[in-house]
Amino acid sequence: MSTGECARRTGAIRILPERWEAVYVYWMENIRDWNISRQLWWGHRIPVWYCDDCDPPQNIIVSRDDVVRCPHCDGPVRQDEDVLDTWFSSWLWPLSTLGWPNEQARDLKAFYPTDVLVTAPEILFFWVARMIMAGYAFLERAPYHTVYLHGTARDTQHRRMSKSLGNGVDPMDVVSLYGADAFRWTLIAGLGIGADVILDPADLEKSFSPGRNFATKLWNIGRFLLSNLGDAPVRPLVDIDRRRFALPDLWVLERFDGAVAECDGALGPLQPTKAADDADGRHWRADERYAGLRLNEYAESARRFVWNELADWYLESVKGRLGADAEPNDREVARAVLLHVFDGALRLLHPVVPFITEALWQKLPGRKPGEFLIRADWPRLGAAPDGGRGKEFELVRDAVLAVRQIRGDYNVAPGKTLDVIILSPSDRRVYDDNASTIGRLARARVTVGSGAAPESAAHAVLRGGSEVVVPLAGLIDVDKECQRLRGELEALEKQIVSREQRLANPKYVERAPEHVVRSDRATLDEMISKRGQLSEKVRTLCGA
Ligand SMILES: [Zn+2]
């Protein structure tokens, strides 16, 4: 194939990862004759018959239908013993599976060209390139728009898994021990484009437990969410007046839009969009050609939404609005939003973890018999109203996180209700409106105010200059805590002095290996920064 011809055709087909495209083009431009007959036991027999009584060229008969007698002398014939090269048969795969050589076949008209061919790099030339040749030779069009070459599963020594090395992982073992979803999750979420997947055949737990844990978490989120949502019919989100959304609703709808956009971006365009005046009809635009099929990023975006945003924050903040005693109009809004984003999250995750998402989707209120997630539409952007007001919920999250941090820092029992004062010069309205949400999420009584903070209190500064203050008197033994903190500070001070002395000693600095000295300096910096935090803590809690 000529360089120009090859370039035109690679405009219709993209190969990912990008580096394989050059390999492909090199092969196509240095193509050799192909001997298509093989002496094997298995394969398509070559459709050539010989008559031993006729003279050349009449002794050779080529036919689509089986030949029984010589068409020239009516004598006996024998078929060639050879079979076609394996790749000569399989290069027809995209065509023959769709009904070719009947060019009017319904499947061929509907599905040719297909979208994505997923395969391994080692058969790029043997199979992929030949399917492309066959596509152009017989239908003048590429058989697919995208060739995605995935990584290889390797062991921890980066060796390819093989029967002879005995370092393989049996997928059936993994499915029975961890579930098919966990297996799929591990491979897809771990598959960076162009990178290999490393699995430890001797430690399946290490390789597959994160996938199982995610599947379990998703199941638990679903059960908890459904028990809060209840069985009663839920109004579709589009029927809800957008002015009725509360701040957490706006936030989770914006985050859901964000997750859909991230997933779409990671998956990239499915088909080329630039019109071309050849039989292919469309070519890849330069900016879309290498975009997408970052499957691990797509899986992570969907996971983060359902776990870190929907479950950790929205579900926790909306619970109080779902009970039978909640205000009915607000309850209707909360249920509509919750169902919409969970349904959407299941759609995003379904290609990666199909079994668990389908089982949960079947339990959603309003499901009709015969509806399946596998046939449901991919989520679209635009669930959130314009304006981006949901971002204000980040202030709520920050305040809750600050209170939780203080609770941990001062060893306050998790069950104990805290009194929290939020001092905010700039965002007072947001904190006022959401004081009860913050209180519920942080297990606290929240007062929003201004003015001076009480003594013996822990402080945290939030964005925008707001401050979270937690009075600790009565919650912890302040004297004892001060004693403990001062002891800690004193010990740290001694360590800092000794390390400073060591680093001030020229003999040590000259003789010790450079990386040891560098790591000493880094440790010292960390200690100094920790000393700053500790003395600040002592100052606010103990007043000196
Ligand atoms: Zn003959």
Side-chain angles (χ1 to χ4, degrees):
M1 204 187 293
S2 74
T3 306
E5 186 65 2
C6 197
R8 184 182 74 72
R9 290 179 180 180
T10 50
I13 303 170
R14 61 175 183 168
I15 298 176
L16 297 169
E18 189 180 344
R19 65 172 185 272
W20 287 103
E21 209 158 83
V23 177
Y24 166 81
V25 168
Y26 176 81
W27 275 331
M28 296 309 275
E29 288 174 357
N30 294 277
I31 213 157
R32 306 273 178 89
D33 288 346
W34 177 15
N35 181 342
I36 57 167
S37 74
R38 290 288 183 278
Q39 294 77 50
L40 298 172
W41 285 109
W42 191 89
H44 289 144
R45 272 182 89 176
I46 288 184
V48 171
W49 285 260
Y50 302 98
C51 171
D52 292 327
D53 298 327
C54 289
D55 293 323
Q58 290 183 342
N59 66 329
I60 298 176
I61 306 129
V62 178
S63 168
R64 260 190 190 173
D65 300 315
D66 284 354
V67 177
V68 182
R69 309 205 69 82
C70 174
H72 310 291
C73 70
D74 205 35
V77 290
R78 56 183 175 84
Q79 188 173 0
D80 197 296
E81 299 273 300
D82 281 4
V83 296
L84 293 166
D85 180 12
T86 303
W87 305 109
F88 190 90
S89 298
S90 48
W91 78 338
L92 297 176
W93 189 85
L95 308 166
S96 57
T97 52
L98 296 176
W100 183 87
N102 172 13
E103 292 191 17
Q104 300 311 310
R106 222 166 48 144
D107 286 351
L108 190 68
K109 290 187 144 199
F111 299 116
Y112 192 93
T114 58
D115 286 323
V116 183
L117 176 79
V118 179
T119 189
E122 60 263 31
I123 52 175
L124 176 59
F125 185 65
F126 288 122
W127 191 35
V128 178
R130 288 169 211 234
M131 285 190 277
I132 295 170
M133 292 180 215
Y136 280 112
F138 299 118
L139 292 177
E140 292 173 16
R141 297 182 72 182
Y144 25 70
H145 305 299
T146 297
V147 177
Y148 175 76
L149 301 171
H150 57 71
T152 302
R154 295 180 186 275
D155 69 12
T156 48
Q157 297 173 52
H158 291 243
R159 295 177 306 182
R160 176 184 282 276
M161 292 185 175
S162 76
K163 277 185 193 145
S164 52
L165 284 174
N167 63 345
V169 170
D170 186 338
M172 298 315 285
D173 289 345
V174 177
V175 169
S176 64
L177 288 168
Y178 299 90
D181 281 337
F183 184 52
R184 292 172 60 94
W185 175 266
T186 304
L187 293 184
I188 295 171
L191 196 69
I193 195 160
D196 290 336
V197 178
I198 307 299
L199 301 171
D200 189 347
D203 190 351
L204 295 183
E205 181 69 14
K206 191 177 83 191
S207 298
F208 296 99
S209 61
R212 177 200 53 206
N213 295 348
F214 174 59
T216 306
K217 175 73 183 182
L218 184 59
W219 183 250
N220 289 337
I221 291 169
R223 281 203 320 186
F224 183 68
L225 185 146
L226 287 164
S227 72
N228 277 277
L229 189 64
D231 300 327
V234 178
R235 280 185 73 180
L237 190 72
V238 288
D239 292 352
I240 303 283
D241 182 345
R242 298 184 156 210
R243 285 167 300 188
R244 291 168 62 195
F245 290 138
L247 182 59
D249 303 335
L250 291 170
W251 176 78
V252 81
L253 290 170
E254 284 173 19
R255 292 314 309 140
F256 177 62
D257 272 354
V260 173
E262 279 179 31
C263 290
D264 283 346
L267 290 172
L270 195 58
Q271 294 171 337
T273 55
K274 192 179 80 179
D277 56 2
D278 55 30
D280 284 313
R282 275 181 296 176
H283 281 194
W284 289 101
R285 288 201 325 252
D287 62 312
E288 68 192 3
R289 184 159 177 163
Y290 302 111
L293 289 176
R294 300 188 309 274
L295 302 183
N296 56 332
E297 291 176 28
Y298 143 64
E300 170 55 19
S301 293
R303 185 210 63 80
R304 192 175 52 228
F305 174 72
V306 75
W307 188 329
N308 300 137
E309 294 172 335
L310 172 54
D312 283 354
W313 290 99
Y314 184 66
L315 190 51
E316 289 302 313
S317 71
V318 85
K319 264 191 294 186
R321 298 161 63 197
L322 298 170
D325 52 344
E327 198 278 310
N329 285 323
D330 188 49
R331 185 165 180 263
E332 180 175 57
V333 175
R335 293 181 79 233
V337 173
L338 186 58
L339 180 62
H340 181 84
V341 294
F342 187 56
D343 182 321
L346 293 177
R347 290 171 196 239
L348 289 179
L349 282 165
H350 182 258
V352 194
V353 282
F355 299 100
I356 218 161
T357 47
E358 183 76 77
L360 287 168
W361 200 74
Q362 291 299 330
K363 294 177 191 293
L364 298 184
R367 189 88 304 121
K368 296 183 195 74
E371 282 185 323
F372 290 98
L373 178 55
I374 195 171
R375 299 196 58 192
D377 288 343
W378 184 251
R380 283 174 205 281
L381 283 174
D386 297 336
R389 253 203 59 216
K391 277 200 186 62
E392 288 179 355
F393 188 71
E394 306 286 342
L395 297 174
V396 174
R397 288 211 308 170
D398 283 357
V400 172
L401 289 172
V403 176
R404 287 180 185 165
Q405 177 77 37
I406 288 169
R407 190 188 284 278
D409 284 353
Y410 291 94
N411 295 316
V412 181
K416 220 167 214 179
T417 300
L418 299 175
D419 281 303
V420 170
I421 303 158
I422 297 178
L423 303 173
S424 181
S426 54
D427 300 306
R428 179 155 184 172
R429 180 190 53 78
V430 178
Y431 292 116
D432 266 333
D433 289 352
N434 296 281
S436 68
T437 304
I438 296 171
R440 200 170 52 251
L441 293 175
R443 204 178 279 264
R445 281 179 296 269
V446 178
T447 318
V448 183
S450 49
E455 280 179 16
S456 297
H459 296 245
V461 176
L462 305 176
R463 68 182 90 180
S466 305
E467 206 175 343
V468 164
V469 182
V470 182
L472 292 168
L475 274 178
I476 59 170
D477 184 333
V478 174
D479 286 344
K480 211 172 131 197
E481 183 66 12
C482 284
Q483 207 181 337
R484 188 183 71 80
L485 289 173
R486 286 199 176 104
E488 208 178 307
L489 189 58
E490 212 171 298
L492 185 63
E493 193 67 52
K494 277 184 192 151
Q495 288 176 4
I496 289 174
V497 169
S498 111
R499 197 157 296 238
E500 277 173 342
Q501 280 169 351
R502 192 195 310 171
L503 284 165
N505 177 353
K507 278 186 196 149
Y508 170 75
V509 177
E510 277 160 29
R511 284 179 201 165
E514 202 185 314
H515 72 272
V516 173
V517 176
R518 211 180 315 126
S519 134
D520 264 353
R521 289 219 163 91
T523 312
L524 179 62
D525 287 345
E526 267 171 44
M527 287 173 167
I528 290 173
S529 135
K530 189 163 179 221
R531 177 177 62 186
Q533 288 165 4
L534 258 181
S535 24
E536 175 64 17
K537 232 166 141 183
V538 170
R539 196 183 60 75
T540 53
L541 184 67
C542 319

